[in-house]
Amino acid sequence: MKHVFVFDQDKCSACSACMMGCMDQNDIDVTQGEKAFRQTFDTEVPTEDGGVFCAYLSAACMHCEDAPCIAACPAGCISKDPETGFTIYDNTNCIGCKSCAMACPFGAPRYRKSDGKMVKCDGCNIRVKNGLQPACVRACSFGALTCVTEEEYAASGSTKACHVLIHQLGLKK
């Protein structure tokens, strides 16, 4: 069953626990300047009545159905997992050319200076295949970030998902 990440801004408190869970799961070395695959953002948006609305976002790889990073990788390091639908990578043969990063409209693939290879969110693919939640979802105490099957997502009627952005940009056919 293919999976999608769903983000509900109304439940998000901007605590960045999802980002911390990602960093822990993937052994991100912040002392070397590495960033988590999942990033959080907050901004104040002025409202018409003169007030301010605080907007929060938690974003990582969108795991596009027709992911442009796959075709861009000359070493064949990126592929789709047929079971989960996640865009996964094996950077064993990565040459660090950054082509995948240039092709990605979301900037998900990142260059890791420590070994000169590209890395990216794989949706905690192994965790999901073993019936566990992705680390970012598990860390979200407020339920703002979930990972569900496409069937569950379609049945929910939810429009509050990063997945919707993929459709809006025409990356999913």
Side-chain angles (χ1 to χ4, degrees):
M1 283 185 271
K2 295 189 177 174
H3 291 74
V4 295
F5 284 93
V6 181
F7 175 69
D8 185 345
Q9 177 182 307
D10 294 335
K11 293 180 179 178
C12 182
S13 69
C15 70
S16 297
C18 56
M19 188 169 69
M20 296 302 127
C22 174
M23 291 170 68
D24 183 49
Q25 176 70 32
N26 295 291
D27 295 324
I28 303 297
D29 189 350
V30 293
T31 63
Q32 294 298 313
E34 294 179 11
K35 292 182 179 179
F37 300 138
R38 178 160 295 280
Q39 292 289 298
T40 56
F41 307 92
D42 61 85
T43 187
E44 294 180 357
V45 180
T47 59
E48 289 182 13
D49 64 1
V52 176
F53 172 76
C54 293
Y56 307 129
L57 177 65
S58 173
C61 177
M62 299 293 181
H63 301 284
C64 309
E65 186 171 315
D66 188 18
C69 59
I70 295 173
C73 179
C77 297
I78 306 173
S79 62
K80 279 301 220 187
D81 183 288
E83 186 180 332
T84 62
F86 290 138
T87 306
I88 59 173
Y89 67 95
D90 174 358
N91 66 5
T92 304
N93 298 319
C94 180
I95 58 175
C97 68
K98 304 178 186 169
S99 293
C100 56
M102 289 185 278
C104 177
F106 305 106
R110 302 224 174 100
Y111 182 76
R112 187 170 54 202
K113 291 179 186 177
S114 62
D115 63 1
K117 297 186 180 216
M118 301 302 291
V119 293
K120 65 172 282 311
C121 168
D122 66 358
C124 289
N125 198 48
I126 300 300
R127 289 180 59 86
V128 172
K129 282 185 164 189
N130 285 294
L132 301 171
Q133 297 176 332
C136 57
V137 172
R138 184 172 181 262
C140 182
S141 299
F142 299 100
L145 187 61
T146 56
C147 182
V148 298
T149 65
E150 283 186 335
E151 293 80 14
E152 291 169 329
Y153 175 69
S156 74
S158 174
T159 59
K160 293 181 179 181
C162 292
H163 190 71
V164 172
L165 188 57
I166 294 169
H167 292 283
Q168 291 172 340
L169 294 174
L171 298 173
K172 184 169 182 171
K173 295 177 182 180

